[in-house]
Amino acid sequence: MPEQQLTFHQRNHQLTNINIWTADSHWLVYDVRPNGATFSGLTVERVNLSGQTEVLYQAGDGAHVGVITTSSDLPPRYVCIHGPEHPDSLWQYDFHHRRGVIIQNGLVENLDACDITPPFTPGALRGGSHVHVFSPDGTRLSFTYNDHVMHELDSKEDLRNVGVAVPLHPVCPPKMHPREYDGSHFCVLVSKTTSAPQPGSDEINRAYEEGWVGEEGYLRTDGHRQRWALAFIGDTVSLSGEKVPEVFIVDLPDTLADYALAGNEPLAGTATTLPAPPRGVIQRRLTFTHERAYPGLATSPRHWLRSSPDGRAIAFLMKDDEGVVQLWTVSPAGGRLRQVTHAASDIQSAFSWHPDGQSVAFINDNSIMLCDTGNGKMRRLTVRTAEAPLADAVVCSPDGLHVAYLRNVAGFQQIFIAEVNG
């Protein structure tokens, strides 16, 4: 069961949980944060299967960068989180003070515009976007978001949401504040949250850990194809007042122009309300686990919802009736939950689908495993080690030949790959 260490620098290397391979499966992208919670890396970089590294972008003027992902086309486009330049006591890196930047051929441009001065500009954001992920065809990006305006008004109303960036047109706010800027994409929130969900209802106060549904969407129960959708975790509240994370889905507009059409509330929000989803966006709850012995999705390990390539199954982690974290799936149309694994011990990491659509890679029993989603059987890709690989990322390459992940080596996080057919 061979594995290969790709990086050897005496510093940490951080992989994002998805879209870290270039489309030709030759390069892996990473950042150099000292750990996942400390945003102080200056560069985003890539390494090839021979261990050769390249710096893709270096931040300046006191800013930092991280959480890089790549597009599915060639030449690749990269996108990452960028912190504020010239940070000061009033504006420094925070959930609501960051943006996305797209990097291509050495050129960098802001993904999302920022407008924090009313009246706000449709298509601009009012705070911080993060964990930007290209759609499978590379035309759109998803992200999670926190709002500066609501944070300043009342931090309890600064609710995490899911958004989408589309190449409708560049967005150029009037820039009445020194921290406002232009963006290349038209950005909207697509989830709906409330600070005080009704206990036992489908209302949520947090939307996060999203994933695109299918390479070409999913098939609805009426036989029509829903081309664009995102699955995400939404935090509901039980009748007893406990947080219960559930699987939600939002069906998205078909055309780019539809993202600019406001629904019942302003796209850009108001001085007292968050930006609202475009017209026609439908948010649905897919799992109802309040009555289970262990309600809700697993919160440890941290994971992101991931759809099978054909869009038929959304995978997530949840405890079984014995309290063991297992892999489960649910259809985008809703219905019965399917327990995929019956492992003796917890699944230990985030996961990704193999491009064959028949298997999922994750960590279990301190090994990288490839799990057949049809029968739940797991195959070790690496030998069991005393210390497990790190839980942050286990990502299959587009050609299906390798899985990338992280290990601690002599006190530093290093990038490894394992052969799927080794």
Side-chain angles (χ1 to χ4, degrees), residues 330-393:
V330 65
S331 164
R336 184 180 67 89
L337 308 187
R338 178 173 177 264
Q339 184 177 342
V340 176
T341 61
H342 294 81
S345 59
D346 291 342
I347 291 175
Q348 299 167 282
S349 70
F351 57 86
S352 68
W353 286 82
H354 189 275
D356 66 8
Q358 307 299 314
S359 50
V360 170
F362 50 70
I363 300 168
N364 178 254
D365 193 33
N366 288 14
S367 294
I368 302 296
M369 297 281 196
L370 193 67
C371 172
D372 184 316
T373 57
N375 57 28
K377 292 182 179 179
M378 292 185 284
R379 176 166 63 89
R380 291 184 194 268
L381 302 186
T382 63
V383 297
R384 189 184 192 281
T385 49
E387 181 180 359
L390 301 181
D392 306 55

Side-chain angles (χ1 to χ4, degrees), residues 54-68:
E54 294 179 358
V55 173
L56 295 170
Y57 174 73
Q58 179 165 340
D61 298 320
H64 297 94
V65 288
V67 194
I68 184 171

Side-chain angles (χ1 to χ4, degrees), residues 144-357:
T144 39
Y145 172 79
N146 286 81
D147 193 86
H148 167 84
V149 174
M150 301 306 292
H151 184 86
E152 293 294 296
L153 177 69
D154 180 354
S155 59
K156 296 191 299 295
E157 297 294 331
D158 173 21
L159 306 172
R160 179 155 294 188
N161 275 275
V162 171
V164 172
V166 298
L168 178 60
H169 58 70
V171 179
C172 304
K175 289 179 279 299
M176 305 298 290
H177 186 282
R179 294 295 183 175
E180 296 172 338
Y181 44 81
D182 299 340
S184 62
H185 282 58
F186 192 94
C187 297
V188 294
L189 299 192
V190 295
S191 58
K192 188 68 175 175
T193 56
T194 176
S195 60
Q198 182 70 27
S201 74
D202 294 349
E203 295 177 342
I204 58 174
N205 58 15
R206 181 179 171 90
Y208 56 108
E209 322 304 45
E210 85 287 354
W212 292 98
V213 178
E215 292 184 349
E216 297 183 355
Y218 71 93
L219 198 63
R220 301 196 305 248
T221 54
D222 63 7
H224 291 89
R225 178 159 293 277
Q226 175 63 40
R227 178 62 183 88
W228 302 102
L230 282 169
F232 62 86
I233 302 175
D235 285 348
T236 66
V237 176
S238 71
L239 289 173
S240 61
E242 299 298 316
K243 179 184 79 171
V244 182
E246 301 278 13
V247 177
F248 283 76
I249 192 170
V250 279
D251 293 339
L252 302 173
D254 284 336
T255 67
L256 298 182
D258 289 340
Y259 283 85
L261 301 177
N264 296 327
E265 302 172 59
L267 280 180
T270 70
T272 58
T273 61
L274 279 166
R279 183 189 308 171
V281 170
I282 300 173
Q283 178 169 305
R284 290 182 290 118
R285 178 175 168 182
L286 296 181
T287 61
F288 298 81
T289 70
H290 284 204
E291 303 303 319
R292 297 187 72 252
Y294 296 92
L297 276 62
T299 56
S300 179
R302 184 181 182 185
H303 70 284
W304 289 256
L305 302 188
R306 295 291 168 231
S307 163
S308 58
D310 62 11
R312 294 183 179 180
I314 296 166
F316 58 96
L317 300 182
M318 184 171 68
K319 292 181 179 179
D320 62 18
D321 288 343
E322 306 303 317
V324 179
V325 176
Q326 308 283 4
L327 182 75
W328 300 69
T329 61
V330 65
S331 164
R336 184 180 67 89
L337 308 187
R338 178 173 177 264
Q339 184 177 342
V340 176
T341 61
H342 294 81
S345 59
D346 291 342
I347 291 175
Q348 299 167 282
S349 70
F351 57 86
S352 68
W353 286 82
H354 189 275
D356 66 8

Side-chain angles (χ1 to χ4, degrees), residues 6-7 26-28 30 45-49 51-53 415:
L6 293 186
T7 58
H26 291 172
W27 294 87
L28 282 155
Y30 62 92
E45 306 179 7
R46 68 178 191 170
V47 60
N48 65 18
L49 300 187
Q52 175 189 356
T53 61
I415 297 172

